[in-house]
Structure formats: C-alpha cells, structure tokens
C-alpha cells in the first residue's frame, strides 16, 4: 500500500481541508484558527474562531464561510470583518462539524446529533441534514444520517453525497432548484470502513479519510474500493489540490478524542500524488 509524505506539522487537530486560490486551507480545532499553507509550506493564520472552526467554503462573491462548532453558527469573513451568516441553534443541540458549499452559495452542514464525547457514552442518534441558503436561511431535511461528516457536490451541482461515520456508508441526495437536498439513496455501503472528511475526483470516485483504520480510501459508487493509501496516524480528512489537482492532501492526528490532541502539536498535513484530479465541490 502507498504511503504519504509529511509536509507540515504542529497542528493540534486539523479539519476541513480545502484547495482555494492556489493555497491549501484548513481549520485547527484547538488552535482556534483557520490557516493556509502556500507552495513554500509557510503557514498563515487567516481567522481566529474561539468556538472551534471546522468546515470551510466560499460564497460566489469570495466571502469565506466557516462552521463555528460549539456555538452552532456559520461565520462569514469578507477579508476584513467577521459576521454571523447563519445561526444553527434551533436545529443543532450538539456540535456542528463539516460543510460543503455549492456553486450558488448553498451550504450543507453536518451536525453531530448527539454528544460524541459524553461519559458514559451515548447511543448514536440520527441527525438532520442541514441546508443553509445563500442568504443565511436555515432549513432541515431528512433525519436519517448516522453522524454525517464529509460531503461533496458533483460538478453539475445536482447531487450531494454525504459520508456517515456511524452509518459506514455514503448517502446521496438530488439537489432541487431551491437548493434543497431530496430523494435520499445509498451511494456506497462501506462495510467496516469509517468515512470522515472526503473529496471527489474527475472520475466520480470519492477519496475519504478513515481515522479508525489509519488510511485514505478511494471508492466508486456502489462501494468498490479501488485505491488505498496508509497513514501512521489517524487520517481525519483529505482534499485534492495542487497545480494539477492531483495532490491528495491528508490531515492526520494522533487520535480523534480531544483528550489525545488538545494542547499537543502532533497533527500533520501529509500528501500523496494520485492520477485523477479533483472535481466538484469542495
């Protein structure tokens, strides 16, 4: 199995990797910031988010959207000023997490649905699909996602695909003219694999991080696994980018529980070259 190359270290817990405007972007939960890496590997803090940042995306005018996890908000940053784009308090009792923003600015947000780190542990509870319109209006769809996590939108803008970490599958929805995701179906049953952050390539396959099995996996619709790359830490999210779109960026961590990563500097950005470039959103 192929392996990755470490290109940057010192993260606590990286999430939400994106390739945008020639740079690699990511959130770091416990450094409370959104960061970029340029081609020289120089890290720059773009924004501080005290309530822990996660999913990232951009509106058509270039404003950055950031999931603010523990206070259940989507923040909007125009390069100078931060404002609240949407308040998710009414639809999310627990942490908000990843997000994909489509070509029209509609955001599809993953929420926990239960307290992931409760003691004693809670039984997993299905979560709503949360849809935020470009004007910040919040809607909810099906409540049948077992810990929705990484999500992608196909290049035609017509299909949303969501990884369900506890469901061990990818689910797909059609996107209607209002931006609502409808007509749920199973895109791929993953067996014992656990999908976390993910991205789409030009052949319609999905690369996803599996933190439990410490690898990134490429899967086709229907569930056929066609490639794997191992990591020596938990792989928590991945993104295709670079000059040719064929650099697979992988965020890895010593673990996924806050007690193992908060206050450490063990998180990494790792890369591997693949054959098929990225496509769609994010």
């Amino acid at each position: 199995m192929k392996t990755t190359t470490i290109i940057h270290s010192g993260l606590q817990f990286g999430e939400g990797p994106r390739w945008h405007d020639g740079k690699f972007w990511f959130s770091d939960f416990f450094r409370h910031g959104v960061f970029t890496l340029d081609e020289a590997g120089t890290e720059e803090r773009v924004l501080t988010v005290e309530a822990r940042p996660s999913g990232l995306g951009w509106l058509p005018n270039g404003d950055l959207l950031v999931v603010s996890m523990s206070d259940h908000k989507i923040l909007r940053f125009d390069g100078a000023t931060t404002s609240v784009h949407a308040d998710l308090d009414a639809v999310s009792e627990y942490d908000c997490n990843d997000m994909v923003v489509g070509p029209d600015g509609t955001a599809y947000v993953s929420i926990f649905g239960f307290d992931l780190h409760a003691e004693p542990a809670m039984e997993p509870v299905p979560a709503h699909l949360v849809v935020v319109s470009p004007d910040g209006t919040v809607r909810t769809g099906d409540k049948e996602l077992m810990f929705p996590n990484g999500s992608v939108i196909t290049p035609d803008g017509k299909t949303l695909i969501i990884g369900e970490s506890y469901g061990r599958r990818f689910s797909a929805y059609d996107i209607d003219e209002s931006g609502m995701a409808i007509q749920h179906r199973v895109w791929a049953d993953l067996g014992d694999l656990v999908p976390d952050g993910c991205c789409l390539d030009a052949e319609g396959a999905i690369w996803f991080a599996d933190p439990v099995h410490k690898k990134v996996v490429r899967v086709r619709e229907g569930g056929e696994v066609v490639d794997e790359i191992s990591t020596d830490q938990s792989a928590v999210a991945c993104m295709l980018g670079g000059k040719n779109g064929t650099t697979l960026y992988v965020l890895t961590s010593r673990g996924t529980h806050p007690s193992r990563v908060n206050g450490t500097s063990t998180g990494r950005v790792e890369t591997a070259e693949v054959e098929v470039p990225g496509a769609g959103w994010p």
Side-chain angles (χ1 to χ4, degrees), residues 108-254:
Y108 303 87
V109 188
S110 300
I111 62 175
F112 277 19
F114 64 100
D115 186 346
L116 181 63
H117 303 302
E119 295 291 346
M122 294 178 66
E123 285 294 319
V125 176
H128 284 292
L129 170 65
V130 178
V131 180
V132 180
S133 299
D135 66 359
T137 301
V138 179
R139 295 176 285 171
T140 57
D142 290 333
K143 189 177 182 179
E144 56 181 87
L145 296 168
M146 292 302 295
F147 203 83
N149 213 323
S151 306
V152 299
I153 297 172
T154 53
D156 61 7
K158 294 182 178 180
T159 304
L160 170 72
I161 307 169
I162 303 175
E164 299 176 61
S165 296
Y166 279 78
R168 301 193 178 209
R169 68 182 186 179
F170 279 99
S171 287
Y173 293 88
D174 296 333
I175 298 174
D176 69 16
E177 292 182 356
S178 75
M180 197 62 195
I182 59 173
Q183 298 179 339
H184 171 269
R185 64 187 183 277
V186 175
W187 189 85
D189 186 329
L190 300 175
D192 67 346
L193 299 175
V194 180
D196 203 322
C198 64
C199 57
L200 186 70
D201 72 23
E203 291 184 353
I206 289 176
W207 279 101
F208 68 90
D210 182 336
V212 174
H213 298 100
K214 297 182 180 179
K215 59 185 176 181
V216 284
V217 179
R218 184 173 184 248
V219 63
R220 297 190 188 277
E221 184 173 3
E224 179 191 5
V225 172
V226 290
D227 204 355
E228 297 182 358
I229 302 172
S230 65
T231 56
D232 65 0
Q233 299 194 119
S234 291
V236 295
C238 58
M239 183 68 210
L240 286 161
K243 290 182 178 179
N244 300 315
T246 55
T247 300
L248 184 68
Y249 290 84
V250 184
L251 294 174
T252 70
S253 176
R254 187 170 68 176

Side-chain angles (χ1 to χ4, degrees), residues 67-126:
V67 173
S68 184
M69 296 183 71
S70 61
D71 63 357
H72 316 146
K73 291 178 172 58
I74 298 178
L75 304 180
R76 179 172 178 167
F77 180 61
D78 65 5
T81 304
T82 303
S83 58
V84 175
H85 178 68
D87 189 329
L88 306 184
D89 244 354
V91 299
S92 183
E93 180 180 357
Y94 304 103
D95 280 358
C96 302
N97 190 21
D98 212 343
M99 173 178 67
V100 62
V101 179
D104 69 343
T106 301
Y108 303 87
V109 188
S110 300
I111 62 175
F112 277 19
F114 64 100
D115 186 346
L116 181 63
H117 303 302
E119 295 291 346
M122 294 178 66
E123 285 294 319
V125 176

